[in-house]
């Protein structure tokens, strides 16, 4: 049976060793809960590190551990302490984590940790390969395992792989500083679907793919060899019911059922009913902005001194990655800050900051959420921030104010909260003031909208949406594959070819027979291509035409001595059997004087772009420009040209990184049909890669064999992936035995 395999750095179970016996306890974290619908029954497996290094596993206990994990559908990857150091504390948390959170100055680029990261990713990939079959679905999680998709793909080309990044993907300007940036991108591109929390992370990723790998991206799809990779955003939700149910139970608790923490909180509330609790909960991480928040709190108390002895800030900082020096320094900084601010403001009856440096049981987390009037979550950068969502879910009477950083992914979906820039102390102080004074009705109005949204798009929906999208991607891939020119189809075509009496073949040049070059003049034919074309032209009862948008002078130079038949400038000129070019279509060129200056102004403002002047058309090339900028300018030029040519008989052709303006009555389709109508052809073939070739595919009779190069939308019947495939295909015609 097909399985789903989930892979993350840590397993969703905690191991406990008591007197030599092992128990595995399921974790309660959001990811583990969210994946319940995906990771259930016997048809799924979760692969990850157990949390114990090889050195920490007592002798002989490994098989016991495996058994305990298997009961929870889990399987472990064994890591030594040296591997954990290099892979987890090293490359993951000292290179990728700071870099992806825009803490460039904390990012260390150490070759040794990168090598360990690669080796450990390979271990995870090997574990998947060992446990999976071709029809299984693989879902890889997060920044520790970015190379795994490609490593699995290499060995299992047809398996379905999804990847989700839980942290931000930084802008290209940041990402490009990583020495192993291409390897990381290629690692991720082993997936069929790559998911991010927000659209911003998605577009940053696509921009890096375009700029660093030069790959074609259309909307949110990346074309890589014979695969299409989809990139999309899936904002992660929470287990809403779990939090709202826990809050309801908490509300119903009688005073003797309440926790010690809750009783303390109640006591303080009762002593001063006007006092407000502000809540700050995060892992102790520099990306969460805890130190800034403390400083901002001090600023607030100075700006609005009337709130001294009235507000209390509860800070829960959960220990995290304490092996990394940056985290140790941060711990020290926060300890000192809390001490200093409390020292400065405390009175005998009031301590402004209550600081907990520990992890709390779930019940206490609910105590804090339900007792706090304001949740103050101001990360400097955060992939999503689930705490914000959990706080709202626990507000059973819909009171409470959420102050949230714009830099958290969750800010995109939580517009009804008070959004702030965590670096703007003035704004923060005023927002705290606003929150403290917000009327109950307004709080409820805001929270009821938020609650509805969070309840609907919960973590289960998130996981299911991702899986459905992955499944669809696979189906799209199949539909492409079904039209891909297979060996069987090729056999049918070559059979028809052999049986036919008179054949006609149209071959586009750039992007079909030869690759693109920055400078079009440099894409001249290689020896192998001349050889192939020589043999094709020599075929009996077969008329071969090179059909191109190129200017006639270049083709004259390249091909006239060879006496190949040619149609150039999209059908303005024709040359047959080595004769000089003659006009196939009578066209005007007086419009050029009007259009040329417009193109010039675009060249001036778009570095790398240039104009190609042909006899009857003008082309603006932008292949050598910055890809994003070039695309933007191309859209702009299209708009300008469309309004300019409204009354002329001109058309705009959007080719591959080129915009060409020419007379409307000229196109490859019309030219091809003119040739076709001259003789009784019973086998017609046309191949091309861009939009201008679509005219041929459209106009030629239905019986024609039309082939598109690349996987774009097309009228052609078949497609092939690359120029190499085109040449192989043409070799088939040459190789056919004579009748
Ligand atoms: C990463 C990304 C993204 C916290 N303290 C305690 C406790 N928690 C629980 C919370 C919440 C979770 O931990 C923290 O999740 P966050 O989303 O806030 O942050 P990260 O740990 O940094 O997670 C983040 C997330 O991945 C998911 O994709 O949102 O941006 O950085 O669920 O409730 N739980 C208990 N005691 C605590 O003391 N029991």
């Amino acid at each position: 049976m097909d399985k789903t395999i989930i892979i993350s750095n840590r397993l969703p179970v905690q191991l406990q060793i008591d007197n030599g016996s092992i128990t595995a306890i399921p974790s309660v974290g959001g990811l583990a809960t969210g994946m319940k619908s995906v990771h259930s029954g016997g048809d799924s497996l979760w692969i990850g590190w157990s949390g114990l290094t090889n050195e920490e596993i007592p002798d002989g206990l490994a098989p016991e551990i495996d058994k305990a994990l298997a009961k929870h559908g889990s399987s472990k990857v064994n890591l030594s302490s040296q591997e954990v150091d290099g892979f987890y504390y090293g490359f993951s948390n000292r290179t990728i984590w700071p870099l992806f959170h825009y803490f460039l100055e904390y990012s260390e680029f150490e070759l040794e940790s990168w090598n360990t990261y690669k080796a450990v990713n390979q271990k995870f990939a090997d574990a998947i390969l060992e446990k999976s079959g071709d029809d299984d679905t693989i879902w890889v999680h997060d920044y520790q395992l970015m190379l795994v998709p490609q490593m699995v793909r290499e060995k299992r080309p047809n398996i379905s792989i999804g990847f989700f990044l839980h942290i931000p993907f930084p802008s290209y300007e940041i990402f490009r500083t990583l020495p192993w940036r291409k390897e990381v991108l290629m690692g991720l591109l082993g997936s069929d679907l790559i998911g991010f929390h927000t659209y911003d992370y998605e577009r940053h990723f696509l921009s890096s793919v375009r700029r660093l790998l030069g790959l074609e991206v259309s909307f949110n799809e990346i074309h890589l060899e014979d695969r299409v990779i989809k990139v999309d955003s899936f904002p992660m939700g929470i287990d809403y019911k779990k939090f709202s149910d826990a809050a309801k139970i908490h509300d119903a608790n009688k005073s003797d059922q309440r926790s010690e923490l809750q009783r303390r909180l109640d006591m303080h509330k009762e002593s001063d009913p006007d006092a407000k609790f502000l809540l700050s909960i995060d892992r102790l991480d520099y990306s969460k902005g805890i130190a800034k928040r403390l400083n901002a709190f001090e600023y607030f108390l100075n700006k609005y001194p009337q709130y001294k002895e009235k507000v209390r800030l509860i800070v829960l900082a959960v220990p995290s990655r304490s092996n990394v020096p940056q985290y140790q320094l941060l711990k020290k900084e926060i300890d000192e800050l809390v001490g200093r601010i409390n020292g400065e403001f405390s009175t005998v009856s009031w301590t402004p900051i209550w600081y907990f440096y520990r992890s709390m049981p779930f019940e206490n987390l609910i105590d804090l959420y339900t007792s706090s009037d304001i949740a103050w979550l101001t990360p400097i950068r955060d992939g999503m921030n689930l705490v914000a969502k959990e706080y709202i879910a626990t507000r059973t009477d819909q009171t409470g104010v959420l102050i949230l950083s714009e830099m958290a992914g969750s800010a995109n979906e939580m517009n009804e909260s008070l959004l702030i820039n965590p670096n703007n102390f003035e704004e923060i102080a005023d927002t705290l003031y606003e929150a403290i004074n917000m009327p109950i009705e307004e709080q409820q109005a805001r929270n009821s909208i938020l609650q509805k949204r969070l309840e609907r798009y919960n973590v289960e929906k998130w996981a299911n949406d991702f899986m459905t999208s992955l499944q669809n991607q696979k189906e799209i891939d199949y539909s492409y594959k079904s039209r891909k020119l297979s060996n069987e189809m090729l056999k049918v075509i070559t059979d028809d070819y052999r049986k036919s009496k008179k054949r006609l073949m149209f071959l586009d040049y750039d992007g079909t027979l030869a690759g693109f070059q920055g400078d079009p003049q440099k894409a001249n034919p290689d020896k192998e291509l001349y050889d192939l074309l020589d043999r094709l032209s020599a075929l009996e009862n077969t008329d071969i035409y090179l059909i191109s948008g190129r200017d006639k002078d270049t083709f004259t130079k390249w091909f006239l001595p060879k006496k190949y038949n040619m149609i150039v400038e999209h059908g303005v000129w024709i040359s047959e059997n080595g004769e000089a070019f003659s006009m196939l279509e009578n066209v005007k060129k007086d419009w050029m004087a009007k259009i040329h200056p417009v193109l010039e102004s675009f060249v001036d403002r778009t570095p790398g772009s240039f104009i190609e002047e042909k006899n009857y058309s003008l082309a603006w090339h932008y292949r050598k420009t910055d890809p994003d900028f070039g695309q933007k300018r191309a859209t702009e030029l299209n708009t300008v040209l469309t309004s300019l040519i409204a009354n002329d008989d001109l058309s705009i052709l959007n080719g591959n990184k080129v915009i060409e303006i020419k007379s409307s009555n000229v196109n490859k389709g019309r030219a091809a049909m003119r040739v076709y109508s001259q003789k009784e052809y019973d086998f017609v073939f046309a191949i091309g890669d861009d939009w201008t070739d679509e005219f041929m595919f459209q106009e030629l009779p239905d019986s024609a064999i039309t082939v598109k190069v690349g996987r774009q939308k097309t009228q052609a019947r078949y497609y092939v992936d690359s120029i190499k495939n085109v040449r192989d295909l043409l070799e088939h015609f040459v190789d056919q035995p004579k009748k």
Side-chain angles (χ1 to χ4, degrees):
M1 192 158 94
D2 308 346
K3 294 189 294 298
T4 300
I5 300 185
I6 303 156
I7 304 93
S8 59
N9 173 40
R10 293 295 301 273
L11 283 171
V13 283
Q14 307 272 349
L15 290 175
Q16 281 188 354
I17 308 180
D18 284 320
N19 289 329
S21 84
I22 295 274
T23 23
I25 304 159
S27 322
V28 286
L31 184 60
T33 326
M35 301 300 279
K36 254 189 214 153
S37 52
V38 180
H39 181 54
S40 57
D43 54 358
S44 94
L45 177 68
W46 196 315
I47 297 175
W49 177 48
S50 68
L52 294 177
T53 62
N54 296 346
E55 293 81 351
E56 286 166 334
I57 297 178
D59 278 348
L61 263 193
E64 287 275 322
I65 294 181
D66 289 341
K67 258 192 249 160
L69 292 176
K71 281 190 197 146
H72 296 279
S74 297
S75 170
K76 70 173 170 26
V77 173
N78 296 318
L79 298 180
S80 69
S81 63
Q82 180 264 332
E83 283 172 324
V84 174
D85 277 350
F87 151 74
Y88 180 70
Y89 293 112
F91 195 74
S92 298
N93 287 323
R94 288 162 85 157
T95 307
I96 296 296
W97 178 275
L99 191 72
F100 280 33
H101 286 86
Y102 293 72
F103 285 83
L104 202 54
E105 68 280 21
Y106 291 173
S107 242
E108 295 171 14
F109 301 137
E110 296 285 344
L111 183 59
E112 210 176 311
S113 352
W114 162 247
N115 284 334
T116 313
Y117 182 84
K118 276 198 292 190
V120 172
N121 269 245
Q122 189 62 58
K123 271 196 159 184
F124 277 81
D126 290 345
I128 298 167
L129 291 167
E130 190 194 318
K131 310 264 181 198
S132 63
D134 260 359
D135 294 327
D136 291 342
T137 301
I138 314 287
W139 187 354
V140 186
H141 286 270
D142 226 357
Y143 66 104
Q144 301 92 348
L145 302 175
M146 292 190 285
L147 306 180
V148 169
Q150 190 196 24
M151 289 169 167
V152 175
R153 175 74 58 206
E154 266 168 22
K155 297 278 158 46
R156 290 244 153 87
N158 293 321
I159 206 166
S160 182
I161 306 176
F163 180 93
F164 189 84
L165 187 72
H166 289 261
I167 65 173
F169 194 93
S171 89
Y172 160 75
E173 286 298 340
I174 297 284
F175 183 72
R176 72 196 292 207
T177 62
L178 180 69
W180 308 281
R181 57 203 185 173
K182 285 192 182 169
E183 288 90 331
V184 167
L185 291 180
M186 286 309 290
L188 290 168
L189 292 182
S191 320
D192 296 295
L193 172 68
I194 304 174
F196 298 95
H197 281 305
T198 73
Y199 172 66
D200 282 331
Y201 309 155
E202 176 191 331
R203 72 184 171 82
H204 290 325
F205 173 73
L206 289 174
S207 157
S208 284
V209 166
R210 243 192 322 251
R211 288 160 175 234
L212 293 168
L213 301 180
L215 290 178
E216 201 52 51
V217 176
S218 46
F219 297 106
N220 59 347
E221 288 187 339
I222 300 164
H223 295 252
L224 174 63
E225 290 157 9
D226 65 342
R227 296 191 306 116
V228 179
I229 299 133
K230 186 174 173 188
V231 181
D232 210 343
S233 56
F234 302 86
M236 188 174 171
I238 55 164
D239 185 353
Y240 187 89
K241 192 165 174 329
K242 176 176 146 189
F243 283 89
S244 72
D245 284 355
K248 281 179 202 146
I249 293 169
H250 173 275
D251 290 351
N253 276 345
K254 303 217 170 60
S255 59
D256 61 336
Q257 292 170 304
R258 293 186 181 163
S259 68
E260 176 59 24
L261 174 67
Q262 187 61 56
R263 281 204 285 261
R264 289 286 180 155
L265 293 166
D266 291 345
M267 222 171 69
H268 281 275
K269 271 257 145 112
E270 279 153 23
S271 69
D272 185 355
D274 292 337
K276 300 278 183 193
F277 282 136
L278 313 183
L279 178 64
S280 144
I281 297 188
D282 320 82
R283 271 185 313 99
L284 191 118
D285 196 300
Y286 46 81
S287 64
K288 304 286 183 180
I290 307 173
K292 264 215 171 118
R293 206 171 310 154
L294 293 171
N295 281 317
F297 187 53
E298 180 183 24
Y299 190 87
F300 164 78
L301 290 175
N302 284 323
K303 182 166 182 186
Y304 295 102
Q306 65 270 39
Y307 292 111
K308 286 182 188 167
E309 304 205 34
K310 287 284 173 216
V311 294
R312 285 196 178 83
L313 173 60
I314 306 173
V315 177
L316 172 58
V318 181
S320 177
R321 303 172 198 166
S322 40
N323 288 17
V324 178
Q326 218 63 55
Y327 289 71
Q328 294 158 359
L329 286 174
L330 180 67
K331 161 83 172 51
K332 192 162 170 281
E333 185 188 359
I334 290 172
D335 286 353
E336 285 170 9
L337 258 177
V338 171
R340 186 174 65 67
I341 297 171
N342 276 344
E344 187 183 338
F345 292 98
S346 288
T347 64
V348 277
S349 56
W350 178 65
T351 314
I353 303 170
W354 289 348
Y355 173 47
F356 303 91
Y357 175 64
R358 71 185 80 138
S359 171
M360 288 203 180
F362 180 70
E363 300 69 54
N364 287 154
L365 201 65
I366 299 296
D367 292 338
L368 291 176
Y369 284 152
T370 51
S371 306
S372 299
D373 306 281
I374 296 165
W376 186 19
L377 306 169
T378 52
I380 296 171
R381 197 67 65 167
D382 209 340
M384 174 51 72
N385 196 300
L386 298 178
V387 173
K389 296 185 171 183
E390 293 168 2
Y391 173 72
I392 295 294
T394 61
R395 308 304 299 179
T396 47
D397 62 359
Q398 299 182 324
T399 63
V401 183
L402 170 64
I403 302 178
L404 182 60
S405 164
E406 288 165 11
M407 316 300 170
S410 49
N412 289 289
E413 302 154 80
M414 302 185 83
N415 238 319
E416 293 76 11
S417 61
L418 299 180
L419 298 180
I420 54 101
N421 173 351
N423 302 308
N424 185 341
F425 282 18
E426 205 61 41
E427 183 188 35
I428 295 177
D430 295 344
T431 307
L432 278 174
Y433 179 89
E434 183 189 348
I436 292 168
N437 294 292
M438 187 183 284
I440 298 275
E441 301 72 41
E442 184 179 342
Q443 297 177 22
Q444 290 173 327
R446 288 170 183 262
N447 291 341
S448 67
I449 304 174
L450 285 170
Q451 286 187 346
K452 271 196 208 111
R453 194 177 302 142
L454 295 178
E455 188 169 11
R456 193 175 56 245
Y457 202 84
N458 61 21
V459 69
E460 198 179 329
K461 177 105 178 54
W462 166 81
N464 290 340
D465 269 12
F466 185 90
M467 288 303 276
T468 311
S469 183
L470 180 54
Q471 183 60 37
N472 290 344
Q473 193 56 21
K474 200 73 212 165
E475 277 157 24
I476 291 169
D477 202 43
Y478 280 137
S479 91
Y480 267 119
K481 290 207 164 108
S482 68
R483 281 181 40 230
K484 187 167 172 170
L485 198 53
S486 63
N487 284 340
E488 294 84 67
M489 292 172 194
L490 191 57
K491 205 173 154 313
V492 176
I493 294 169
T494 42
D495 270 359
D496 286 354
Y497 169 87
R498 221 182 19 247
K499 284 184 210 141
S500 58
K501 294 196 180 65
K502 190 75 191 153
R503 303 150 193 149
L504 175 61
M505 297 173 85
F506 294 105
L507 316 177
D508 166 51
Y509 183 75
D510 293 277
T512 302
L513 294 174
F516 285 103
Q517 300 289 334
D519 177 354
Q521 291 308 319
K522 291 201 178 121
N524 52 328
D526 50 87
K527 198 180 151 308
E528 191 188 290
L529 179 59
Y530 275 129
D531 179 53
L532 172 64
L533 291 173
D534 281 347
R535 285 178 291 131
L536 279 167
S537 301
L539 288 170
E540 281 172 21
N541 298 319
T542 309
D543 295 335
I544 307 281
Y545 283 82
L546 295 175
I547 186 161
S548 169
R550 282 206 179 240
D551 66 287
K552 77 174 181 358
D553 298 337
T554 307
F555 264 38
T556 301
K557 191 169 77 197
W558 287 350
F559 300 122
L560 197 69
K562 291 278 189 184
K563 302 191 175 171
Y564 303 153
N565 299 329
M566 299 177 272
I567 296 170
V568 294
E569 299 189 23
H570 300 286
V572 177
W573 302 95
I574 187 162
S575 157
E576 289 166 318
N577 308 317
E579 284 165 17
F581 275 104
S582 63
M583 266 190 142
L584 190 60
E585 205 69 64
N586 224 336
V587 284
K588 289 194 257 171
K589 49 195 290 192
D590 50 355
W591 53 271
M592 287 188 175
K594 180 168 80 174
I595 301 294
H596 204 279
V598 177
L599 298 187
E600 268 168 10
S601 83
F602 273 76
V603 168
D604 292 343
R605 294 180 301 125
T606 319
S609 72
F610 60 92
I611 301 171
E612 188 186 358
E613 290 176 32
K614 303 186 191 178
N615 288 304
Y616 290 92
S617 74
L618 289 174
W620 180 73
H621 288 266
Y622 59 99
R623 178 164 303 278
K624 287 199 289 188
T625 65
D626 171 290
D628 287 336
F629 186 56
Q631 194 53 53
K632 194 173 147 265
R633 279 279 193 259
T635 312
E636 195 184 327
L637 178 59
N638 252 306
T639 317
V640 172
L641 289 174
T642 310
S643 61
L644 255 182
I645 65 167
N647 299 320
D648 297 297
D649 201 12
L650 295 175
S651 49
I652 307 166
L653 296 185
N654 281 290
N656 198 329
K657 304 281 182 207
V658 56
I659 292 184
E660 187 159 356
I661 305 97
K662 58 164 199 53
S663 283
S664 290
N665 63 348
V666 177
N667 68 51
K668 286 185 182 179
R670 205 174 140 116
M673 283 307 285
R674 280 192 171 220
V675 174
Y676 170 75
S677 59
Q678 283 167 11
K679 295 180 194 164
E680 288 279 307
Y681 292 106
D682 56 354
F683 179 91
V684 180
F685 175 91
I687 190 163
D689 73 306
D690 79 11
W691 200 73
T692 62
D693 300 304
E694 292 295 321
F695 287 108
M696 280 198 293
F697 302 152
Q698 228 166 347
E699 302 260 332
L700 286 169
D702 289 349
S703 57
I705 307 295
T706 49
V707 184
K708 174 90 168 177
V709 187
R711 296 184 180 196
Q712 270 110 43
K713 233 176 129 200
T714 181
Q715 303 275 341
R717 278 164 71 185
Y718 305 103
Y719 84 91
V720 293
D721 278 313
S722 63
I723 290 167
K724 165 138 192 354
N725 294 150
V726 177
R727 292 192 182 188
D728 290 348
L729 168 61
L730 295 176
E731 286 289 353
H732 266 87
F733 295 122
V734 180
D735 285 348
Q736 288 308 310
K738 295 227 164 68
K739 256 205 318 171

